């Protein structure tokens, strides 16, 4: 058995109680992630969307879209 599986299965109720009691005693002041986390996430999303919008519309990349309906086959030539 893997060591981390054995450790997870070997937890007793007392161990779980200690861990939960330890997590209750956290600092009450907000840290950087509490203050700015959502704004950083939203800012990164907006930046990513803006860059991809620019790339998709302004750079002239050929995206290899399906030619169905735009390409007509040539007549077959028998030589």
């Amino acid at each position: 058995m893997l060591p981390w599986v054995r450790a997870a299965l070997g937890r007793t109720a007392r161990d779980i109680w200690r861990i939960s009691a330890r997590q209750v005693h956290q600092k009450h002041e907000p840290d950087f992630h509490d203050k700015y986390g959502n704004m950083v996430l939203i800012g990164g999303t907006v930046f990513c969307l803006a860059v991809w919008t620019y790339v998709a519309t302004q750079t002239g990349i050929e995206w290899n879209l399906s030619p169905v309906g735009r390409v007509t086959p040539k007549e077959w030539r028998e030589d």
Side-chain angles (χ1 to χ4, degrees):
M1 189 180 306
L2 295 172
W4 57 272
V5 173
R6 189 173 339 149
L9 294 176
R11 296 279 183 210
T12 63
R14 181 174 290 178
D15 291 336
I16 294 171
W17 184 82
R18 280 187 197 142
I19 292 170
S20 63
R22 211 177 309 140
Q23 290 174 349
V24 169
H25 299 293
Q26 292 180 353
K27 58 183 177 183
H28 295 287
E29 62 191 38
D31 61 357
F32 176 84
H33 299 287
D34 295 331
K35 288 182 180 178
Y36 306 110
N38 289 335
M39 290 309 296
V40 169
L41 184 64
I42 291 169
T45 302
V46 168
F47 177 77
C48 183
L49 287 173
V51 168
W52 276 109
T53 302
Y54 174 78
V55 168
T57 59
Q58 301 297 317
T59 58
I61 294 176
E62 179 63 39
W63 294 98
N64 293 329
L65 300 175
S66 175
V68 173
R70 292 186 288 147
V71 176
T72 56
K74 295 181 182 178
E75 289 294 325
W76 185 260
R77 293 187 334 197
E78 298 224 12
D79 292 326

